[in-house]
Amino acid sequence: MKTNTICVQGGYTPGNGEPRQIPIIQSTNFKYNTSEDMGKLFDLEASGYFYTRLQNPTNDYVAAKIAQLEGGTAAMLTSSGQAANFFALFNICECGDHIVSSSSIYGGTFNLIAVTMKRMGIDVTFVAPTATEEELHAAFRPNTKAMFGETIANPALTVLDIELFAKVAHEHGVPLIVDNTFATPVGCRPIEWGADIVTHSTTKYMDGHGAGVGGAIVDSGNFDWMAHADKYPGLTTPDESYHGVTYAERFGNAGAFITKCTTQLMRDLGSIQSPQNAFLLNLGLESLHVRMKRHCENGQAVAEFLHDHPKVAYVNYCGLPDDPYHALAEKYLPNGSCGVVSFGLAGGREAASIFMKNLKLAAIETHVADARTCCLNPASSTHRQMTDEQLKEAGVPAELVRISIGLEDIEDLIADLSQALENC
Ligand SMILES: *Cc1c(COP(=O)(O)O)cnc(C)c1O
């Protein structure tokens, strides 16, 4: 099936007389006739459900669709994008280990890795998204267990050289984890470029309507855990907390990662997506291919309009030919990137503040990537405690505005931006 068809019909095939739409299994638990029947599930000898903290059929239909979209072998849903990235990393890293990560990543993920995971004894080296092959190699240590980056970074809008990052990671016997939230599998399938694990904040384009917070993890099934058994004892030696199962042996490369993540991390940390939210997520997925096309078209048109506007000093959007990431975008995102554009106002902080006040259609929100256009000037909102100097250092200069272009008519959007720019 092609991507467009998977968006609509992937993951769930109803039998004769069964509901056409994915059923919401709003039940915490599942009934069995004998203890032996249930025992087989606990021994991982039979597949089935026993408690929704670990697994739920509604979630699994939707996870299967996302696995198909990304070209992976297995997937799971989490309660948020934060949980997805934490679980993906913590599934293979423990105290004493080390991560190499692109520095150009979502602020929440940066904090997760640089502060919270550090407190757990997991160290990190950040590398520039533009790092050369030599610089990437130099960041690795004998205890490095994962490499991490974002296809299109939120909010910097840099594009990851997935093939290069994957090559270097694999030369060190380490998997590459790619957060594909902004591109979505409609725009890019990182596994085809060598990524081993793909994560999502489904809160963004996949949901697409600002209705539910959620995340997803997809395994490519390509990483050979047994070939690097000494690095990944959690997957390649018996799990005493789960009847001595050795995940890589029992479930192979195709299933080990997600099975361990479910039976161990979900069991102990409990961050599953609610079945109700999984249902809403699936409604979003059914139109993802149609919506992404429009988000990209609108984003490109707005970027071009801003690029040529005298009140605008610069625009960051990889779809513009003079953007530093344009060549990478042509390689990895040939059908368009996303609807998020950032730009700087020539009049600085004050102009940005006037612009924001003047907007009528675009709402002021910290959110991005849904159907309604929204806009943020970090200097006057999320980062307002910082000085102009500190803002510059953090990569969010005072004049910077981030706009997430929705699905409205492009003429109305440009008219709104145009009037808002008039007296800036
Ligand atoms: C929003 C976002 C996250 C965090 O997701 P939540 O669903 O808000 O927890 C992670 N990565 C990227 C790229 C994001 O945009």
Side-chain angles (χ1 to χ4, degrees):
M1 284 195 288
K2 300 238 190 304
T3 298
N4 295 351
T5 309
I6 300 169
C7 281
V8 183
Q9 296 213 16
Y12 171 68
T13 312
N16 194 32
E18 287 179 358
R20 185 75 207 272
Q21 182 54 283
I22 289 179
I24 306 173
I25 309 296
Q26 194 69 51
S27 181
T28 60
N29 53 80
F30 302 83
K31 177 214 162 221
Y32 289 94
N33 291 333
T34 68
S35 303
E36 288 70 32
D37 288 344
M38 187 179 251
K40 287 200 184 100
L41 300 179
F42 276 93
D43 289 344
L44 301 178
E45 268 163 19
S47 65
Y49 298 90
F50 50 90
Y51 190 45
T52 289
R53 171 156 34 83
L54 284 86
Q55 271 185 303
N56 175 282
T58 309
N59 291 29
D60 284 353
Y61 296 137
V62 182
K65 177 180 281 190
I66 296 174
Q68 275 177 279
L69 282 171
E70 289 287 7
T73 53
M76 66 196 280
L77 301 186
T78 57
S79 57
S80 68
Q82 286 298 110
N85 282 325
F86 175 59
F87 277 33
L89 288 164
F90 198 58
N91 206 32
I92 49 174
C93 297
E94 58 187 38
C95 184
D97 288 344
H98 174 252
I99 296 164
V100 175
S101 173
S102 165
S103 58
S104 189
I105 53 173
Y106 176 64
T109 313
F110 190 92
N111 274 332
L112 167 70
I113 298 175
V115 181
T116 299
M117 292 188 74
K118 201 161 219 166
R119 282 214 304 266
M120 298 171 159
I122 299 165
D123 214 351
V124 60
T125 299
F126 287 107
V127 291
T130 51
T132 62
E133 191 167 343
E134 291 68 39
E135 287 165 342
L136 293 179
H137 276 297
F140 278 78
R141 300 180 193 165
N143 60 338
T144 304
K145 300 295 171 70
M147 194 180 206
F148 184 86
E150 291 177 8
T151 312
I152 305 171
N154 175 14
L157 303 176
T158 56
V159 179
L160 189 73
D161 192 342
I162 302 172
E163 208 170 22
L164 175 65
F165 271 58
K167 175 173 179 272
V168 175
H170 295 159
E171 281 172 25
H172 292 271
V174 162
L176 174 66
I177 302 175
V178 173
D179 181 332
N180 197 34
T181 297
F182 267 26
T184 84
V186 172
C188 177
R189 307 207 314 163
I191 290 170
E192 289 173 357
W193 299 102
D196 302 284
I197 310 290
V198 173
T199 59
H200 282 278
S201 165
T202 61
T203 316
K204 311 294 166 48
Y205 287 119
M206 280 193 168
D207 170 304
H209 303 78
V213 173
I217 307 171
V218 183
D219 181 12
S220 68
N222 291 334
F223 197 83
D224 190 348
W225 305 106
M226 276 303 184
H228 307 283
D230 52 326
K231 272 196 204 289
Y232 302 103
L235 284 154
T236 60
T237 61
D239 177 2
E240 293 315 328
S241 81
Y242 226 103
H243 317 291
V245 65
T246 298
Y247 296 101
E249 261 171 13
R250 178 84 73 85
F251 302 100
N253 292 337
F257 189 90
I258 293 295
T259 305
K260 174 177 182 284
C261 210
T262 301
T263 57
Q264 212 179 57
L265 299 189
M266 254 330 161
R267 179 196 63 189
D268 297 350
L269 299 170
S271 310
I272 202 159
Q273 191 167 127
S274 77
Q276 182 74 43
N277 275 12
F279 176 83
L280 292 172
L281 168 58
N282 185 58
L283 290 184
L285 291 171
E286 287 183 4
S287 64
L288 183 67
H289 55 303
V290 184
R291 291 184 292 105
M292 285 315 290
K293 189 165 183 288
R294 176 64 74 88
H295 278 295
C296 292
E297 284 166 7
N298 280 0
Q300 183 72 31
V302 165
E304 285 169 12
F305 163 77
L306 292 169
H307 184 265
D308 296 335
H309 199 284
K311 301 267 171 83
V312 175
Y314 57 87
V315 182
N316 303 317
Y317 190 73
C318 63
L320 293 174
D322 59 4
D323 188 87
Y325 294 92
H326 188 66
L328 286 173
E330 282 193 309
K331 173 172 175 177
Y332 294 109
L333 302 155
N335 302 318
S337 58
C338 67
V340 184
V341 180
S342 70
F343 63 100
L345 282 142
R349 182 190 283 263
E350 201 181 333
S353 155
I354 296 168
F355 170 79
M356 297 294 289
K357 269 196 206 106
N358 289 347
L359 290 170
K360 293 192 171 75
L361 269 182
I364 298 173
E365 290 173 24
T366 60
H367 191 55
V368 285
D370 82 45
R372 290 157 293 259
T373 296
C374 57
C375 205
L376 186 78
N377 170 224
S380 60
S381 54
T382 50
H383 294 60
R384 63 180 296 125
Q385 72 286 1
M386 290 188 179
T387 64
D388 281 16
E389 208 43 51
Q390 288 172 324
L391 286 166
K392 209 179 210 165
E393 262 171 40
V396 281
E399 75 282 358
L400 187 83
V401 172
R402 179 186 70 190
I403 184 158
S404 169
I405 308 299
L407 303 175
E408 300 91 342
D409 191 284
I410 190 60
E411 284 183 25
D412 289 336
L413 287 175
I414 287 184
D416 189 34
L417 298 175
S418 187
Q419 64 80 25
L421 281 166
E422 240 162 58
N423 27 4
C424 285

